[in-house]
Amino acid sequence: MIGLFLGDTDFSEIILKKIIKLKKKYFIIDFSKNNKFRKNKNSNRISIGKFGEIINLIKEKKSNKVLFAGKIAKPKFSTLRLDLKGIYYMPSVIKASKSGDAAIIKAIIKILEREKIKVISSIFYNPELSLKTKNYTKLKPTFKDMKSIKKGVIYFNKLNSLDHIQALVVNDEKVIAIEGNQGTKIMLSKLKKRSDGILIKLPKKKQDLRMDLPTIGLSTLKDCKKYDLKGIVLKSKKNIFLDKDKCIKFADKNKIFIKII
């Protein structure tokens, strides 16, 4: 029996479809904003503050592992109703929330581990969502592009563990845009026209590879075309790549390269 902590985004639905296809026994703890999985008979809507209820459910189901998939947004802590374990654990979650949404999930994972509940990678059942080292398109980065990519990777390596940057854009061996809390789309929208940049999305330093992996999909490719980017660079087995075939087809049609390093 696998426990699924599901939030918003298409990624959570993809994970669920694969679990069903594999005929795995599962139950859902729905952390989405609008009770996204309410029609699923295996879904349980439990407040993030009811840690006792969450842990009891996992143990009742005799689950030996759980995974997180999808965006779990920061709750309004002042409105949460807490049970006894919620009162005990919530201070650590509130403290973590000051570092962003991803830190909230990390705090919850630590709590589950203290309760002897194993958390596995979000793509444990979907290894096809991460790609191996390779150039996946007809177009390949030039020697000059590779020098720019190297500069971007060096920039990532210099970040400390508290930085939450997962994407940047490079061109002509310079970093010309850095992702902020608002995400990749907003970063790209601020680029000058015809930037000819290269989007690099890599895991954060000391990234917990069980969750919050940098994700791209067809919408990312469309944004690359819209803002005149020439390519995308990802990390082998450390990114989530949605709609792979559609993305590669779109990239080939629009002369955008996709390189996994």
Side-chain angles (χ1 to χ4, degrees):
M1 178 76 76
I2 177 73
L4 308 175
F5 285 79
L6 301 182
D8 295 294
T9 73
D10 294 340
F11 177 50
S12 56
E13 294 183 11
I14 290 169
I15 296 294
L16 179 58
K17 285 179 182 177
K18 186 64 176 289
I19 293 289
I20 293 171
K21 184 179 179 180
L22 292 172
K23 297 181 180 180
K24 297 288 183 182
K25 291 184 178 180
Y26 71 93
F27 63 96
I28 298 168
I29 297 173
D30 187 350
F31 274 176
S32 65
K33 277 187 177 180
N34 299 310
N35 201 1
K36 188 174 184 177
F37 303 95
R38 60 185 174 276
K39 293 182 180 179
N40 188 304
K41 66 180 182 180
N42 297 319
S43 183
N44 303 269
R45 183 72 169 178
I46 306 176
S47 165
I48 198 172
K50 299 287 184 72
F51 283 112
E53 191 174 339
I54 290 169
I55 291 162
N56 286 339
L57 175 64
I58 294 170
K59 292 181 177 179
E60 281 172 17
K61 296 291 185 180
K62 297 181 179 178
S63 176
N64 57 3
K65 53 184 175 285
V66 299
L67 65 77
F68 287 78
K71 182 177 176 62
I72 298 174
K74 179 179 178 180
K76 291 183 179 178
F77 293 110
S78 60
T79 64
L80 288 180
R81 292 184 177 180
L82 310 178
D83 57 17
L84 287 175
K85 284 203 172 180
I87 293 170
Y88 179 73
Y89 283 126
M90 190 51 64
S92 64
V93 177
I94 293 173
K95 183 179 178 180
S97 71
K98 295 174 183 178
S99 298
D101 292 349
I104 293 173
I105 303 178
K106 286 184 180 180
I108 296 172
I109 287 175
K110 286 182 181 179
I111 291 167
L112 293 174
E113 288 177 338
R114 286 181 66 175
E115 296 286 341
K116 298 186 176 6
I117 296 167
K118 183 180 180 182
V119 179
I120 62 174
S121 167
S122 59
I123 55 173
F124 182 87
Y125 295 103
N126 297 71
E128 71 280 1
L129 293 180
S130 63
L131 302 182
K132 296 178 182 179
T133 303
K134 182 182 172 182
N135 200 87
Y136 283 82
T137 48
K138 295 174 184 176
L139 183 67
K140 297 180 180 180
T142 64
F143 177 73
K144 185 178 178 181
D145 291 335
M146 289 304 298
K147 289 177 75 174
S148 291
I149 291 168
K150 185 177 179 180
K151 286 285 185 180
V153 172
I154 289 171
Y155 184 92
F156 272 108
N157 290 337
K158 287 181 178 178
L159 297 173
N160 65 50
S161 59
L162 298 177
D163 288 313
H164 300 287
I165 298 166
Q166 287 187 306
L168 53 78
V169 178
V170 293
N171 184 31
D172 197 21
E173 298 187 52
K174 295 178 182 178
V175 176
I176 61 173
I178 299 171
E179 182 184 62
N181 292 332
Q182 295 174 310
T184 303
K185 183 180 283 289
I186 297 299
M187 173 188 70
L188 295 179
S189 70
K190 296 177 181 179
L191 290 172
K192 294 179 181 179
K193 289 185 178 180
R194 304 299 307 175
S195 70
D196 285 331
I198 299 166
L199 172 64
I200 305 177
K201 291 200 75 165
L202 300 181
K204 297 187 290 287
K205 202 167 188 179
K206 295 185 180 180
Q207 174 83 43
D208 188 330
L209 299 178
R210 292 172 295 179
M211 42 69 74
D212 192 36
L213 294 177
T215 302
I216 74 159
L218 191 55
S219 62
T220 314
L221 269 294
K222 289 180 178 178
D223 283 340
C224 287
K225 180 191 175 185
K226 182 178 180 180
Y227 300 112
D228 300 309
L229 269 67
K230 63 171 73 171
I232 295 177
V233 176
L234 307 173
K235 185 73 171 175
S236 174
K237 298 182 180 180
K238 294 183 180 180
N239 285 77
I240 294 169
F241 199 134
L242 306 177
D243 298 316
K244 180 182 72 174
D245 294 337
K246 289 181 181 179
C247 286
I248 292 171
K249 185 176 179 180
F250 182 90
D252 281 335
K253 182 180 178 180
N254 293 281
K255 296 182 179 179
I256 299 169
F257 68 77
I258 299 173
K259 183 166 183 66
I260 313 299
I261 58 174

